[in-house]
Amino acid sequence: MTVIEENRKTVQMMKKYSTDDDITSMTTYFTYVKQIVGAFPVLEEKPVGLSVKWYDINGKNGVSTYNFNYEHGSVMFCLAALHSQAAYGYITRTSSMENVQQCINEYKEAASCFAYIRQHLSQSFSTVQMSWDMTDYGLLGIENYTHGMEQLT
């Protein structure tokens, strides 16, 4: 469990995209969370005693829950944010065709992550007092925004 805890601390300390290693760390932790969600009953109040806490997009309103599917969705949300930040980085460096294509691909990844949360995960944590950015409307808005950025690129 030490490796998972260390990886979660790394993920929690991330404030913004700096290298592709950030995306790799987030993806690794996402894989751990997905395995936990698949192995344990994580929907009910305190089924395995794992509590998680996440904050909204502004870092102000904390949500604490025993529903590990919320952790699953929150990690995916952070992964989407990293892809979006990576896209911005590609387009601000130079406007070469290669960077433009990388930017488009990163925005597509971000939009796909937001869509996945909305379509597959948000129903499983509907009992959680979640922040606005994890509601169906919030996720749809952010998903559409990233699609729009992809098209503008």
Side-chain angles (χ1 to χ4, degrees), residues 4 8 28-38 68-69 71-73 75:
I4 297 172
R8 185 170 201 274
T28 301
Y29 185 65
F30 176 80
T31 302
Y32 291 144
V33 171
K34 193 170 183 174
Q35 290 172 349
I36 291 169
V37 168
F68 227 67
N69 276 308
E71 174 88 342
H72 194 191
V75 173

Side-chain angles (χ1 to χ4, degrees), residues 88-108:
Y88 179 76
Y90 279 114
I91 205 64
T92 56
R93 283 187 215 133
T94 63
S95 56
S96 70
M97 283 308 292
E98 182 178 324
N99 278 0
V100 168
Q101 189 57 54
Q102 280 294 111
C103 177
I104 290 169
N105 291 343
E106 292 293 344
Y107 277 128
K108 282 182 183 177

Side-chain angles (χ1 to χ4, degrees), residues 1-116:
M1 194 69 152
T2 305
V3 174
I4 297 172
E5 290 170 351
E6 288 175 15
N7 190 245
R8 185 170 201 274
K9 286 180 185 174
T10 300
V11 166
Q12 286 179 314
M13 299 305 288
M14 254 181 244
K15 300 295 181 202
K16 64 179 185 169
Y17 172 86
S18 56
T19 68
D20 286 343
D21 289 342
D22 295 339
I23 292 175
T24 301
S25 293
M26 190 69 69
T27 303
T28 301
Y29 185 65
F30 176 80
T31 302
Y32 291 144
V33 171
K34 193 170 183 174
Q35 290 172 349
I36 291 169
V37 168
F40 298 102
V42 294
L43 294 175
E44 303 301 321
E45 186 74 21
K46 297 186 183 186
V48 290
L50 297 173
S51 175
V52 294
K53 185 169 187 168
W54 283 89
Y55 293 88
D56 69 5
I57 200 167
N58 300 316
K60 295 180 181 174
N61 301 313
V63 174
S64 188
T65 181
Y66 289 94
N67 184 332
F68 227 67
N69 276 308
Y70 194 76
E71 174 88 342
H72 194 191
S74 295
V75 173
M76 180 64 90
F77 189 100
C78 291
L79 186 57
L82 288 175
H83 280 295
S84 183
Q85 291 172 5
Y88 179 76
Y90 279 114
I91 205 64
T92 56
R93 283 187 215 133
T94 63
S95 56
S96 70
M97 283 308 292
E98 182 178 324
N99 278 0
V100 168
Q101 189 57 54
Q102 280 294 111
C103 177
I104 290 169
N105 291 343
E106 292 293 344
Y107 277 128
K108 282 182 183 177
E109 284 292 323
S112 295
C113 290
F114 291 124
Y116 179 83

